[in-house]
Amino acid sequence: MASLASHPLPCRAATTAAPASRSGRPAPRLLGPPPPASPLLSSASARFPRPPCNAARWRRRDAVRVCSQAGAAGPAPLSKTLSDLKDSCWRFLRPHTIRGTALGSIALVARALIENPQLINWWLVFKAFYGLVALICGNGYIVGINQIYDIRIDKVNKPYLPIAAGDLSVQTAWLLVVLFAAAGFSIVVTNFGPFITSLYCLGLFLGTIYSVPPFRLKRYPVAAFLIIATVRGFLLNFGVYYATRAALGLTFQWSSPVAFITCFVTLFALVIAITKDLPDVEGDRKYQISTLATKLGVRNIAFLGSGLLIANYIAAIAVAFLMPQAFRRTVMVPVHAALAVGIIFQTWVLEQAKYTKDAISQYYRFIWNLFYAEYIFFPLI
């Protein structure tokens, strides 16, 4: 386009006949339209030469064609914009944490209903759904506010997260976390009474002081571990089971399986809290975030996490033998033995891979898969 516009050609110059050379061939023109931009246009021009006086018109048509092609690659359609926003919001929610929250709440509700089958009614399904939505909203608030205050670190450790990647603005992120907190609180306060509401608010408060200055307790390993274990372990399991029994018209009473899963998952959440920093060592060191992984090294923390999980599984097997009246030994023993073998094998794979970043991420994902598996099997124990 620019080259065409930079060579204006007078129309009358092209009308002058070119004299023949001694060989009888016409001499080349000294003036004329510039050569076409592509071989395709060149061949077309050779067969159908453009009228010289219409050179300006052809240039205008070329300009329109180029502009049309540029416009086709311009603003994205609305459907693509909405799809990108949906993808950013989904990544903002950290799907692996939502799966843990959803599986935990469904497993605890199922257990309460299995223990009291005569009290089941369809109204409870809707109430359980409201509770699940409230828990997901609370989860979204906690992981969202953590991303807002971790943008610089996430650009090193987790550049795929939507704020760090530039796919979601900070203003939009703030709007989302406020909506999550308000929606979750509204659902709980209108459906589950003051005690569950206070537990819910406690979870939001702990998630806030974990990430937000001046508290930012995630800088201190012990405080960070306790917060994660309390929210994902005790509060989730106790709160869901309490709310389900209340909805059934029953007073709260611990059952052996619920006491087991609460203790088991609280220790498991502690392992998640310890190992979650393994893929983030580079960014944590850069921004002086003190974690056990930065202090003790990736290998030592991986072995510590695996060791705690193996101890957890051994304890689960022992409980099945010590309390045969409360647990199905045929489920508890083989399932937890298989999961223990799985974490041993995954630790060996990590060792063989020399603790590369990809291997560490795979190891951490496997721990979450073990977490999901425990809740999947829980109603059957």
Side-chain angles (χ1 to χ4, degrees), residues 35-363:
S38 68
L40 181 61
L41 293 178
S42 298
S43 61
S45 298
R47 287 177 291 174
F48 306 104
R50 300 177 181 178
C53 289
N54 292 334
R57 183 186 304 171
W58 282 102
R59 287 197 296 271
R60 285 196 297 271
R61 290 182 182 178
D62 290 343
V64 171
R65 182 164 59 251
V66 172
C67 290
S68 299
Q69 293 171 354
L78 180 60
S79 59
K80 186 178 185 305
T81 302
L82 292 177
S83 176
D84 291 344
L85 179 61
K86 176 184 173 183
D87 175 70
S88 297
C89 291
W90 180 241
R91 285 182 288 130
F92 183 68
L93 286 170
R94 305 306 305 278
H96 68 283
T97 63
I98 289 181
R99 285 191 287 269
T101 299
L103 282 173
S105 60
I106 292 171
L108 268 296
V109 170
R111 187 71 212 186
L113 296 180
I114 290 172
E115 294 172 352
N116 304 278
Q118 72 282 2
L119 299 177
I120 298 176
N121 62 71
W122 287 108
W123 174 80
L124 291 174
V125 175
F126 295 102
K127 192 160 189 177
F129 177 76
Y130 295 148
L132 177 59
V133 171
L135 288 171
I136 292 175
C137 287
N139 188 95
Y141 168 82
I142 292 173
V143 299
I145 205 166
N146 182 63
Q147 291 175 66
I148 290 173
Y149 285 96
D150 272 5
I151 297 175
R152 291 186 304 166
I153 301 175
D154 286 342
K155 285 182 178 180
V156 178
N157 293 335
K158 304 180 182 76
Y160 53 85
L161 291 179
I163 305 179
D167 298 330
L168 196 69
S169 68
V170 176
Q171 292 80 4
T172 303
W174 270 114
L175 177 62
L176 288 174
V177 297
V178 170
L179 288 176
F180 288 146
F185 177 79
S186 300
I187 292 172
V188 172
V189 78
T190 55
N191 290 278
F192 296 100
F195 181 67
I196 294 298
T197 301
S198 64
L199 291 180
Y200 190 83
C201 291
L202 176 60
L204 296 183
F205 172 74
L206 292 176
T208 301
I209 63 175
Y210 176 83
S211 300
V212 177
F215 307 102
R216 200 161 168 77
L217 296 183
K218 66 179 297 180
R219 296 175 297 175
Y220 310 105
V222 175
F225 299 159
L226 291 177
I227 288 175
I228 294 174
T230 300
V231 174
R232 187 155 292 281
F234 177 76
L235 286 181
L236 175 65
N237 294 276
F238 170 73
V240 170
Y241 188 68
Y242 183 99
T244 306
R245 286 187 64 90
L248 294 171
L250 302 172
T251 58
F252 179 78
Q253 182 179 358
W254 286 106
S255 69
S256 297
V258 173
F260 160 77
I261 196 66
T262 302
C263 295
F264 185 95
V265 172
T266 299
L267 181 57
F268 207 121
L270 182 64
V271 173
I272 290 175
I274 292 172
T275 57
K276 77 176 184 63
D277 297 317
L278 291 178
D280 301 341
V281 169
E282 181 182 352
D284 289 340
R285 284 174 176 163
K286 182 176 180 180
Y287 291 99
Q288 298 179 343
I289 301 293
S290 178
T291 67
L292 286 184
T294 59
K295 290 182 175 180
L296 303 180
V298 171
R299 185 175 187 272
N300 292 332
I301 295 304
F303 273 84
L304 175 61
S306 297
L308 289 174
L309 286 183
I310 293 169
N312 218 13
Y313 290 131
I314 292 173
I317 294 171
V319 165
F321 283 103
L322 295 174
M323 303 178 66
Q325 73 283 0
F327 299 97
R328 292 189 178 97
R329 190 183 303 172
T330 54
V331 177
M332 287 279 281
V333 174
V335 166
H336 290 102
L339 296 178
V341 171
I343 189 60
I344 292 172
F345 175 75
Q346 194 62 42
T347 307
W348 177 81
V349 170
L350 180 62
E351 178 79 13
Q352 295 303 305
K354 306 299 182 185
Y355 299 91
T356 62
K357 191 174 181 66
D358 288 342
I360 293 170
S361 298
Q362 182 181 353
Y363 171 79

